[in-house]
């Protein structure tokens, strides 16, 4: 009898979640911003690469309704403090636990499409990917307890590519010129590579469900600080080509992306001074990320 009662309660809860998610927003949740060509960007001179090293991207798939996610975010924060600039963290709000509630919606078109492709959410939250390397049974999904070992192994690999970013932001006009430079450290051929540029934001204060009193109040941390939040893609979900499979890498490649930071997300207007540009290069066949880097948006006085 007790088991039957619990079963009925579970069904009621499930239906309430289902109906609450049906009357909200259909995808895409964030309009894609086309690269703005209405203002010109002056290409800067990049500093010479002195000692290139491998950097690692940790994608933390999360949601504000996920009670275990604050603890995972704390793990990601500790790893960032440990590995410093060799680790880039992006918090991707996607899947069931990121459904809109409480008047805010952190989902993005690119984050949802990544989640659909890699099926991270199907494995539950919190979970993540490390340089989109394949893990157990060929899947890309790492549980938080495996993040440290995965990052340590990934960053010990020999870098094949170096990637640099220079940002130039005009706060009055909200014009951001993002310049990237890709330098091939070893000849690459027979591989199609794409460059992704996205924007993340720190210091977003909004409620977060939580079940760990060691992390914060339960069942909800009302003034939770969300960091590394993916707010939009500059050049689409899968980026733009940087090298085709028919080409052999040669000279460095400089790309420029003019964008308006405050228009990159049509639901949650980003605060430019809290934003960071993240760029990464991935193999279109394996999806492995070869190199990643980040650069804060600086408000010039």
């Amino acid at each position: 009898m007790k088991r039957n009662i619990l079963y009925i309660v579970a069904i009621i809860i499930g239906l309430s979640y289902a109906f609450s998610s049906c009357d909200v927003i259909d995808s895409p949740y964030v309009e894609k911003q086309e690269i703005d060509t209405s203002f010109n960007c002056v290409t800067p001179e990049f500093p010479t690469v002195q000692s290139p090293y491998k950097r690692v991207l940790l994608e933390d798939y999360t949601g504000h309704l996920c009670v275990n996610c604050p603890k995972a975010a704390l793990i990601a924060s500790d790893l960032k403090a440990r590995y410093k600039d060799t680790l880039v963290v992006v918090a991707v709000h996607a899947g069931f636990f990121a459904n809109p509630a409480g008047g805010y919606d952190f989902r993005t078109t690119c984050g949802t499409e990544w989640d659909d492709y890699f099926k991270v959410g199907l494995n539950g939250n919190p979970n993540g990917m490390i340089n989109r390397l394949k893990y157990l049974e060929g899947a890309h999904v790492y549980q938080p307890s495996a993040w440290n070992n995965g990052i340590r192994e990934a960053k010990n690999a020999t870098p094949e590519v170096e990637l640099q970013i220079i940002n130039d932001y005009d706060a009055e006009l909200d014009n951001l010129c993002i310049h990237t430079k890709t330098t091939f450290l070893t000849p690459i051929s027979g591989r199609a590579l794409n460059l992704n540029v996205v924007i993340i934001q720190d210091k977003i204060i909004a409620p977060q469900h939580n079940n760990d009193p060691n992390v914060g109040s339960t069942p909800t941390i009302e003034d939770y600080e969300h960091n590394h939040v993916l707010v939009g893609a500059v050049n689409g979900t899968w980026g733009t080509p940087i090298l085709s499979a028919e080409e052999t890498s040669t000279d460095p490649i400089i790309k420029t992306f003019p964008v308006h930071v405050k228009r990159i997300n049509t639901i949650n207007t980003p605060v430019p001074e809290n934003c960071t540009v993240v760029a990464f290069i991935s193999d279109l066949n394996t999806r492995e990320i070869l190199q990643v880097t980040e650069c804060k948006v600086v408000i010039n006085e």
Side-chain angles (χ1 to χ4, degrees), residues 28-35 108-110 113 232-238 263-266:
Y29 318 112
V30 177
E31 295 175 6
K32 294 180 180 177
Q33 173 172 328
E34 299 295 333
I35 295 173
T108 58
T109 300
C110 62
E113 290 179 351
V234 171
N235 60 340
T237 296
W238 303 106
R263 300 182 200 170
I264 198 76
N265 190 309
T266 57

Side-chain angles (χ1 to χ4, degrees), residues 15 56 63-65 73 100 108 112 137 151 167 177 188 191 211 232 247 259 276:
L15 287 173
V56 179
H64 62 280
L65 301 177
T108 58
T112 297
E137 300 178 352
I151 292 166
N167 291 329
C177 295
I188 296 177
R191 301 171 69 182
N211 68 353
E247 296 175 301
V259 297
T276 296

Side-chain angles (χ1 to χ4, degrees), residues 117-257:
Y117 180 86
F118 293 107
K119 305 186 188 312
V120 183
L122 287 179
N123 289 273
N125 290 125
N127 271 310
M129 292 194 289
I130 297 171
N131 272 0
R132 297 184 177 175
L133 293 165
K134 288 192 174 181
Y135 187 49
L136 298 176
E137 300 178 352
H140 294 80
V141 181
Y142 287 68
Q143 293 183 347
S145 59
W147 288 354
N148 184 38
N149 286 341
I151 292 166
R152 189 167 56 227
E153 293 177 9
K155 82 180 193 66
N156 287 335
T158 302
E160 300 173 272
V161 179
E162 178 59 309
L163 186 57
Q164 298 166 279
I165 301 175
I166 293 179
N167 291 329
D168 185 9
Y169 183 61
D170 183 330
E172 183 177 353
L173 299 175
D174 187 37
N175 291 346
L176 174 64
C177 295
I178 303 170
H179 309 277
T180 67
K181 182 179 180 181
T182 303
T183 303
F184 298 98
L185 304 175
T186 183
I188 296 177
S189 60
R191 301 171 69 182
L193 306 181
N194 267 22
L195 169 68
N196 270 82
V197 180
V198 302
I199 294 179
I200 62 175
Q201 183 177 339
D202 291 331
K203 302 179 181 178
I204 300 176
I205 305 300
Q208 168 69 52
H209 286 200
N210 173 53
N211 68 353
D212 189 342
N214 295 316
V215 177
S217 58
T218 59
T220 304
I221 305 172
E222 295 293 342
D223 57 349
Y224 185 78
E225 182 174 308
H226 297 262
N227 291 311
H228 318 294
V229 177
L230 176 67
V231 294
V234 171
N235 60 340
T237 296
W238 303 106
T240 48
I242 200 81
L243 184 72
S244 74
E246 291 73 33
E247 296 175 301
T248 299
S249 60
T250 53
D251 299 328
I253 299 172
I254 293 177
K255 296 282 188 182
T256 295
F257 303 93

